[in-house]
Amino acid sequence: MPSFYKSYMPYISPFDPCPPMTVKTFSTPPNLYMGFQPPNLPQFTPKEALKKGTLWKAFYDPYFSPYERALEEAET
């Protein structure tokens, strides 16, 4: 199972005026890891699909900020 979150280390200039972010994280959508759309995928109801932005549950990817995830992990 691939990870939906990727990270990279950006270039850090010696002349940066602020403390640098050493690692940056970004989210990748689930459809990148599905070579084709299989038949009979489970679907949301039309009302839910409009709220979530996709009809198929396999393609739904809620966005969570990396800062929100860090807070959740700190609380548990």
Side-chain angles (χ1 to χ4, degrees):
M1 178 77 187
S3 170
F4 293 125
Y5 287 92
K6 308 286 186 226
S7 60
Y8 66 98
M9 296 181 343
Y11 171 73
I12 298 171
S13 170
F15 304 109
D16 281 345
C18 300
M21 292 181 66
T22 56
V23 177
K24 291 193 176 188
T25 307
F26 61 97
S27 172
T28 55
N31 61 330
L32 290 178
Y33 305 103
M34 201 174 287
F36 62 95
Q37 182 175 332
N40 302 322
L41 282 176
Q43 297 181 351
F44 289 118
T45 63
K47 187 176 181 178
E48 280 182 304
L50 286 172
K51 287 182 182 179
K52 302 205 184 243
T54 183
L55 180 59
W56 296 279
K57 293 181 180 182
F59 294 132
Y60 177 61
D61 180 31
Y63 174 77
F64 294 105
S65 166
Y67 304 110
E68 289 178 52
R69 287 198 178 269
L71 288 176
E72 288 175 7
E73 290 172 3
E75 289 175 358
T76 57

